[in-house]
Amino acid sequence: MLAGRQFGLFWGALGLSFLVSLHGNAAPTHKAHIVVLGAVKRVPYSKAGDPAGAGPSEDALKIRPLLVDGAVKEWTTGDAHDVTDRSFVVRRVLRLNDALPGDKQGHWVWQRGPWLLVDRTTGHVTALKLPDYDPGVSQVSWFRDYGAYCGVAASGKNLYAVVAQLAARKPVLAKKVEAFDADPKTRPDPICVAPDWQREPLRVTFHPTGKGDLSFDIVPGSAVLVEDSGDDPEAELSSPPAKPGN
């Protein structure tokens, strides 16, 4: 009788242990990430180092690190723009090796690069591919999840007024402004200053140098930026798609 009772207690304890283990596996905790922009520092900078992006009298560039969990993920420059309460955009800065094949020592230069989309919750950093964006010409002005700027067509022949929406496949606006002068010695600098936004009605105004201002009304729509839940994206991608009717 005692042996049977001990046997029952054994299996009861084993079942309880299994349920606790199952519950623990069913509710995993996600690591909280710490995403911050670090302190600003100045680095040597010249027109020769960044032919398209340097200002008229710019001899130093202000940069700051993008830190994810204390580690430097990227280097950035300029102001960040909050898109949502958890995502923001900031411009990347690149350190390129400018040494010629015969140089005995490395020669490194800083250049302004593309824009990054940063998720504070997951720590993900995504390089944005804005349509017709040219780092040397495009000065992006952000509003909500819209970016307005002057862009250069892929052919390099035309200058466009562009409004891109994050995660949208096509630009919200792409209007030809004029023919593009590819020679930096003869074209105005800057070609366009940053556009201005108006909320009601939603309107953007471009300021191409040497031409009158160009204003366009934008039909407001829902944000198409989808922020993931923080789950492992590889596990989600590896899961087979559901079949219709299941």
Side-chain angles (χ1 to χ4, degrees):
M1 186 72 178
L2 181 59
R5 186 176 179 180
Q6 291 176 339
F7 184 77
L9 290 174
F10 169 77
W11 282 107
L14 183 63
L16 180 61
S17 175
F18 173 77
L19 289 175
V20 170
S21 175
L22 182 63
H23 177 73
N25 292 334
T29 58
H30 298 291
K31 179 183 177 182
H33 296 277
I34 300 176
V35 180
V36 296
L37 290 171
V40 175
K41 73 173 186 176
R42 299 169 68 91
V43 294
Y45 188 67
S46 69
K47 198 93 173 169
D50 190 355
S57 59
E58 199 168 32
D59 59 0
L61 185 65
K62 294 180 180 179
I63 66 172
R64 51 183 175 170
L66 171 63
L67 301 167
V68 179
D69 298 332
V72 177
K73 192 79 170 180
E74 298 284 357
W75 286 95
T76 70
T77 186
D79 296 329
H81 165 73
D82 287 327
V83 179
T84 69
D85 58 348
R86 58 177 277 186
S87 296
F88 67 92
V89 290
V90 67
R91 194 171 186 180
R92 186 186 182 196
V93 65
L94 307 172
R95 191 167 185 246
L96 299 178
N97 183 7
D98 195 46
L100 294 172
D103 292 345
K104 295 181 179 179
Q105 295 182 348
H107 180 219
W108 296 88
V109 296
W110 292 93
Q111 289 191 3
R112 291 183 173 97
W115 284 81
L116 304 172
L117 176 65
V118 185
D119 191 314
R120 293 186 181 93
T121 301
T122 63
H124 293 167
V125 179
T126 305
L128 296 177
K129 296 181 179 180
L130 300 174
D132 293 335
Y133 175 83
D134 186 306
V137 174
S138 306
Q139 299 190 42
V140 185
S141 177
W142 293 97
F143 174 69
R144 297 177 182 168
D145 63 336
Y146 297 106
Y149 53 92
C150 289
V152 180
S155 63
K157 297 181 179 180
N158 295 310
L159 185 73
Y160 277 81
V162 181
V163 174
Q165 187 176 20
L166 293 181
R169 294 183 178 180
K170 296 182 179 180
V172 176
L173 173 75
K175 295 289 186 181
K176 180 181 175 180
V177 176
E178 60 182 348
F180 177 68
D181 185 358
D183 188 350
K185 296 181 180 180
T186 58
R187 72 188 186 203
D189 185 17
I191 297 176
C192 291
V193 298
D196 294 319
W197 283 97
Q198 174 183 306
R199 182 181 292 110
E200 294 181 0
L202 185 56
R203 179 177 298 161
V204 61
T205 301
F206 293 83
H207 310 286
T209 303
K211 297 181 67 67
D213 292 346
L214 302 174
S215 295
F216 302 93
D217 290 339
I218 306 298
V219 179
S222 300
V224 293
L225 174 63
V226 178
E227 297 163 322
D228 62 47
S229 62
D231 295 331
D232 184 3
E234 294 183 358
E236 294 178 1
L237 291 174
S238 64
S239 300
K243 295 181 180 180
N246 289 349

